[in-house]
Amino acid sequence: MSDLFLQACRREPVERPPVWMMRQAGRYLPEYRAVRKRADFLTMVGTPELAVEVTLQPVDLIGVDAAIIFSDILVVPQAMGMTLSVEDGVGPRFHHPLRAAGDFERLRDVAPEDGLGYVLDALRLARRELAGRVPLIGFAGAPWTLMAYMIEGGGSKSFSLAKRLLVEDPPRAHGLLGRLADAVGSFLVAQVEAGAQAVQLFDSWSGAVGPQDFREFVLPYLGRAARLARTAGAPVIVFAPGSGWALEEIAAETEADVLGIDWQTDAGDARRRIPPTRVALQGNLDPCWLYAPPAVIRERTHRMLDDFGGRGHIANLGHGILPDVPVSHAQAFVDAVQQWRAR
Ligand code: CP3
């Protein structure tokens, strides 16, 4: 049993930093694409046997130090009653994005065991099949990112529809953000009860708003979800890419054990701002550097590890791995971490 990941989450001294990759169960793996040929994405997410099969692939094939359950952040809005589809080349889409008052009112509050039981079943099965080899991470989307997705209906460059709600009807925005914070927080508690040994909140679109709106609409609800999740007793990881300027505020408001660091943020600077005894940091190699030859990946990775300083660090990418990265390059990243020794 490798405890490295959980020890690092708790800021305990470790022989080397643990390593995993966001989106590590994904299309860059031929073994993932083989499963995906048999089933579409949402079927994989909704079928515990398939979800667990691909959850284990990066553990078996690449030797990462943690598994993350195969699922998606959009399962929560789906359980609240929104119809979701994920098409090749288009990405996830809600068929009827939230526009009129009635759309907001029709949303259901979800009890995790009812609407999201299949994710909990996948976690229970994954824990059994991992048999203690590496810890299992659960996750959910943070309130602002989910609300923005629910209003936009899909990806967006300007987020103008979601931001327009903040301008035109702040009480409605606050109402939905509060409901999402409770839904997501209790979902993460249920994930820990089902076997997740740490949980990560993804606020992927937090960088879409300025500081004042971040403090009014993003951070309070990210904090509410994270603090609720913490009551389950497992480490909580908070990743808010694009909001590196606010690391101190995020640490204070969320009480997170671990902060995810995006690739735009300087590793040494993040470490100086957040002492390793208080909060662990996770990240942050630019995923595009996995296009480099393995020797260069190794050099870049070692420089990143030096910058974080070893203690209280979980090595990862600064965002999800890209689908066209060669597996041997992902392997070079993981090997580089596992062969590094703090100097
Ligand atoms: O990290 C892991 O391996 C666990 C699985 C995981 C997925 N999505 C699988 C997935 C996780 C943690 C997520 C989180 C997620 N989903 C986020 C937050 C992380 C981030 O990137 O900021 C977001 C914004 C989503 C929403 C989402 N789902 C998008 C934008 C897409 C399209 C991605 C693309 O490249 O096409 C998805 C679909 C999705 N989720 C895929 C995977 C492996 C691709 C599905 C496929 O076609 O096989």
Side-chain angles (χ1 to χ4, degrees):
M1 162 73 176
S2 164
D3 248 353
L4 271 185
F5 170 77
L6 294 172
Q7 287 171 323
C9 287
R10 295 189 295 253
R11 283 87 67 203
E12 293 166 9
V14 288
E15 67 219 44
R16 62 157 174 91
V19 57
W20 67 281
M21 296 176 290
M22 289 186 279
R23 287 281 174 93
Q24 65 188 10
R27 285 167 294 182
Y28 73 103
L29 286 174
E31 291 82 356
Y32 173 91
R33 296 196 298 269
V35 178
R36 187 71 170 65
K37 247 195 214 148
R38 291 189 269 129
D40 65 30
F41 174 70
L42 289 175
T43 302
M44 285 170 66
V45 166
T47 311
E49 291 71 22
L50 295 177
V52 171
E53 180 177 349
V54 297
T55 296
L56 298 192
Q57 285 175 350
V59 177
D60 294 332
L61 298 166
I62 309 199
V64 291
D65 296 309
I68 181 164
I69 194 68
F70 185 79
S71 185
D72 200 81
I73 64 168
L74 300 178
V75 297
V76 168
Q78 190 184 37
M80 292 173 86
M82 296 190 71
T83 309
L84 176 68
S85 64
V86 180
E87 285 152 45
D88 288 332
V90 184
R93 292 241 146 249
F94 287 116
H95 294 200
H96 305 287
L98 307 180
R99 297 287 151 86
D103 301 334
F104 288 74
E105 285 150 19
R106 264 192 296 278
L107 293 170
R108 295 190 288 268
D109 286 314
V110 270
E113 318 76 52
D114 299 340
L116 295 160
Y118 62 94
V119 180
L120 306 178
D121 288 340
L123 285 160
R124 283 185 273 263
L125 182 61
R127 265 306 283 282
R128 227 180 307 143
E129 297 211 352
L130 279 167
R133 274 180 292 162
V134 295
L136 177 62
I137 305 168
F139 72 90
W144 157 251
T145 293
L146 293 183
M147 184 177 83
Y149 237 112
M150 293 158 80
I151 293 171
E152 298 286 343
S156 170
K157 275 205 165 75
S158 65
F159 302 96
S160 58
L161 294 169
K163 290 172 77 172
R164 187 167 181 170
L165 183 72
L166 309 184
V167 174
E168 292 184 342
D169 198 349
R172 176 170 298 157
H174 282 294
L176 179 54
L177 289 164
R179 289 176 71 184
L180 286 167
D182 293 339
V184 161
S186 55
F187 182 34
L188 291 176
V189 168
Q191 291 191 39
V192 173
E193 287 166 354
Q197 291 154 288
V199 289
Q200 176 157 331
L201 270 163
F202 286 91
D203 216 345
S204 305
W205 288 356
S206 68
V209 297
Q212 201 174 328
D213 297 326
F214 178 82
R215 292 187 181 109
E216 180 174 349
F217 296 103
V218 179
L219 187 55
Y221 300 100
L222 177 61
R224 185 156 142 194
R227 292 191 308 273
L228 185 52
R230 267 188 114 237
T231 61
V236 173
I237 308 167
V238 169
F239 181 51
S243 302
W245 59 273
L247 290 179
E248 293 88 345
E249 292 176 53
I250 296 169
E253 180 76 15
T254 63
E255 298 170 28
D257 300 272
V258 184
L259 290 183
I261 305 297
D262 62 25
W263 55 269
Q264 294 94 329
T265 300
D266 183 80
D269 186 47
R271 188 73 285 174
R272 283 185 291 277
R273 289 164 56 198
I274 307 288
T277 48
R278 303 248 323 271
V279 180
L281 299 180
Q282 174 174 281
N284 78 338
L285 189 78
D286 183 340
C288 284
W289 276 88
L290 294 190
Y291 293 128
V296 176
I297 292 172
R298 187 183 167 81
E299 193 185 299
R300 278 267 171 158
T301 302
H302 283 180
R303 197 189 311 164
M304 172 195 73
L305 293 165
D306 290 337
D307 288 345
F308 278 109
R311 177 87 183 260
H313 178 221
I314 296 155
N316 205 314
L317 305 173
H319 208 155
I321 189 170
L322 295 159
D324 55 353
V325 161
V327 178
S328 59
H329 292 206
Q331 185 73 63
F333 171 66
V334 170
D335 290 346
V337 178
Q338 294 180 343
Q339 290 157 9
W340 181 79
R341 285 285 174 276
R343 272 150 280 183

